[in-house]
Amino acid sequence: MGGLKPGRDACDERGHAADGAGSEDKTARLEKLLDIHFKDLRLLVQALTHSSCEGVDPLASNERLEFLGDAVLKLVTAWHLYVTHPGASEGELSDMLGRAVSERSLSEAADRLGIADFLRVGRSLEATGGRRLPSVLADAFEAVLGAVFLDQGLEAARRLVVRELRPGSEPDRGANGRETRNYKAILQEFFQKREKSIPEYEVVREEGPDHDKTFTVEVRLGGGPVGRGSGKTKKMAEQAAAADALVRMGMLPAAENARAEGGEACD
């Protein structure tokens, strides 16, 4: 890279040796973890180069790839949620999108992939443990995604996001602070693997005054009902229906059905 830009640190290259086979071995390891073989390895190296060790060229860090990856992330996540949650409202889709692309979600995905061990960071950032900061990891995940998009295309980027972030299947928390189970996501994943199709939800009954309605929902596969549930909101009723379907298939104990109908549901 030449001489260092004033104010920048020399790189601590835990993930990359400056030259030679060490860098190639490390890059190959990450390619294997990502299940992607890059055509242009320079993109991956740039995605792993933090701005704290940027060289003479101010465009050599991962910041531009992070910018691109952020846009790709939101697009493919919104696309996935739109297709896999046909009954969700705009507000519900926005909530799921926000959770999926949050710093916490991205940093946890980066941590599972071990991206911190491949980052090239400045020595001062390294000395303070900065390579493992959630913000640094989240930015690095976006940069890697941007590199995947440029090198492999949108479909490869979508597969990486769905595999590592599992948008729409993350747990939510009810008003009591307890984690709730996403029965719809469990059922959908099961059907996608076994039937190669997505369950559909239909409101079959509404009871009570407008301020205190109870909704009954059927979940259908191939046009036939596979579960039914009720709740004070459509969202809760859909979760209860999914739980009922899972109980009928022997995938959940019967107690889970009562829990789904009585508690707060996530989507």
Side-chain angles (χ1 to χ4, degrees):
M1 286 186 183
L4 288 173
K5 189 175 179 181
R8 302 290 184 180
D9 287 338
C11 279
D12 185 303
E13 298 187 335
R14 180 181 298 182
H16 295 273
D19 298 291
S23 177
E24 295 177 4
D25 290 346
K26 293 287 188 180
T27 305
R29 276 178 50 205
L30 184 55
E31 283 185 296
K32 187 174 181 179
L33 290 170
L34 294 170
D35 194 24
I36 290 172
H37 181 69
F38 277 78
K39 302 169 190 172
D40 185 355
L41 279 175
R42 293 173 298 179
L43 286 169
L44 182 56
V45 172
Q46 183 178 353
L48 299 168
T49 302
H50 189 262
S51 59
S52 62
C53 68
E54 187 179 344
V56 172
D57 185 352
L59 307 180
S61 79
N62 64 6
E63 289 181 342
R64 280 169 53 85
L65 284 173
E66 175 199 336
F67 166 79
L68 177 62
D70 176 69
V72 173
L73 172 67
K74 289 174 181 173
L75 170 62
V76 298
T77 304
W79 177 18
H80 177 77
L81 292 172
Y82 182 87
V83 170
T84 58
H85 292 74
S89 68
E90 184 273 340
E92 291 168 334
L93 291 171
S94 294
D95 287 344
M96 287 186 281
L97 177 65
R99 291 197 299 271
V101 305
S102 68
E103 179 180 289
R104 176 179 176 180
S105 174
L106 299 181
S107 64
E108 288 177 351
D111 188 54
R112 289 192 298 271
L113 287 167
I115 285 179
D117 294 329
F118 299 93
L119 285 176
R120 305 171 71 234
V121 302
R123 288 174 184 165
S124 61
L125 189 65
E126 174 68 19
T128 59
R131 72 166 62 241
R132 297 193 181 278
L133 287 173
S135 59
V136 171
L137 290 176
D139 291 348
F141 185 90
E142 289 181 332
V144 168
L145 181 63
V148 169
F149 169 70
L150 288 177
D151 192 81
Q152 303 283 317
L154 188 61
E155 178 57 25
R158 186 196 68 80
R159 287 196 302 268
L160 178 62
V161 167
V162 172
R163 184 179 73 238
E164 299 301 333
L165 300 183
R166 300 184 65 197
S169 64
E170 58 281 301
D172 201 355
R173 294 186 181 276
N176 57 12
R178 292 184 304 178
E179 191 174 278
T180 58
R181 296 193 69 180
N182 194 333
Y183 301 105
K184 286 180 65 177
I186 297 170
L187 183 66
Q188 179 175 306
E189 184 174 4
F190 174 77
F191 278 137
Q192 281 181 316
K193 288 181 178 179
R194 194 185 74 170
E195 306 288 345
K196 306 299 182 184
S197 60
I198 298 173
E200 298 178 350
Y201 295 83
E202 180 182 351
V203 177
V204 295
R205 188 167 66 244
E206 296 182 21
E207 297 176 298
D210 288 343
H211 68 278
D212 189 28
K213 277 187 177 295
T214 297
F215 297 89
T216 299
V217 167
E218 279 189 350
V219 56
R220 300 173 179 270
L221 183 67
V226 293
R228 176 181 283 226
S230 300
K232 301 306 291 184
T233 67
K234 293 179 183 178
K235 185 176 177 180
M236 292 177 66
E238 288 175 354
Q239 287 287 345
D244 181 53
L246 292 167
V247 169
R248 291 170 184 260
M249 292 186 293
M251 296 179 63
L252 287 177
E256 288 285 346
N257 200 358
R259 176 185 172 187
E261 296 214 13
E264 296 188 34
C266 61
D267 197 25

